[in-house]
Amino acid sequence: MKRYLKSFLSDFCLPDASFDLRDFKDKDFRAPVRQHEIGVYIISATDGTKYTYPNGKRSPIIYIGMSEDLFRRLKDEHFTKGLKLLLDDSEWGLDKNWQLASRYQYMYYNGSHVDVFKRRGPQDAKNLESIILNRFYQTYRALPVGNGARSLGR
């Protein structure tokens, strides 16, 4: 497991899938997640950037999220409705004062590697996301730079 994941998920198994959101640009890309697969994903910088958190620790993690449909969330929302807009036009929306979520700016400038942890058995994805976000917070004393709100388990 990658060192930056081990720093707060040392007792977790390896991610079930890893890829870059930019891979969706390639029409022949076969995503390692399928429609209706449930789980949590962690998006991190790929250019060596590490964000400094309040306690002085540093991490490349940009965003932690969950979905009841990993393929749809990662491809349709994070890529097509977010990152791809900036890849097509780095000034997207500025002339109209439209703002994308900050996480897409971090992904555009620093990379967008995805590690996926799929649901195991009856495990609830929202609770898994809450556990992972809480562990990140306990380690770094803040949520990842691209997360806007805390996740509350069900």
Side-chain angles (χ1 to χ4, degrees):
M1 184 181 303
K2 296 174 187 89
R3 194 174 329 157
Y4 63 88
L5 293 175
K6 270 188 180 177
S7 68
F8 67 102
L9 297 176
S10 59
D11 60 338
F12 270 59
C13 59
L14 295 173
D16 295 296
S18 292
F19 64 100
D20 196 293
L21 278 180
R22 293 170 193 242
D23 292 339
F24 284 119
K25 289 188 306 186
D26 180 357
K27 288 180 172 61
D28 297 325
F29 175 62
R30 294 182 49 86
V33 293
R34 302 286 170 247
Q35 288 184 320
H36 310 296
E37 283 186 311
I38 298 168
V40 173
Y41 53 93
I42 298 173
I43 301 175
S44 56
T46 58
D47 68 350
T49 297
K50 290 187 178 179
Y51 308 100
T52 303
Y53 287 93
N55 62 1
K57 292 183 179 180
R58 298 167 49 87
S59 173
I61 293 175
I62 296 170
Y63 184 78
I64 297 172
M66 60 79 57
S67 181
E68 300 289 326
D69 187 336
L70 288 165
F71 182 82
R72 184 195 56 76
R73 177 79 168 142
L74 292 167
K75 183 177 190 294
D76 295 346
E77 293 183 32
H78 284 306
F79 180 71
T80 304
K81 295 179 184 174
L83 181 58
K84 185 177 183 303
L85 297 173
L86 293 171
L87 292 172
D88 292 345
D89 175 7
S90 64
E91 302 289 315
W92 185 90
L94 293 179
D95 59 335
K96 295 179 177 81
N97 202 27
W98 292 344
Q99 299 173 359
L100 285 173
S102 297
R103 63 182 158 262
Y104 301 120
Q105 297 290 348
Y106 286 110
M107 290 178 206
Y108 175 73
Y109 286 102
N110 304 129
S112 54
H113 178 80
V114 181
D115 288 297
V116 176
F117 296 86
K118 296 176 185 174
R119 178 181 74 173
R120 306 232 187 285
Q123 186 177 44
D124 182 80
K126 188 68 174 166
N127 283 340
L128 180 58
E129 177 195 37
S130 184
I131 289 166
I132 291 175
L133 278 169
N134 186 55
R135 288 197 180 181
F136 188 92
Y137 185 90
Q138 294 297 320
T139 302
Y140 296 99
R141 300 301 188 262
L143 295 175
V145 294
N147 282 78
R150 198 152 174 85
S151 175
L152 302 173
R154 292 182 184 159

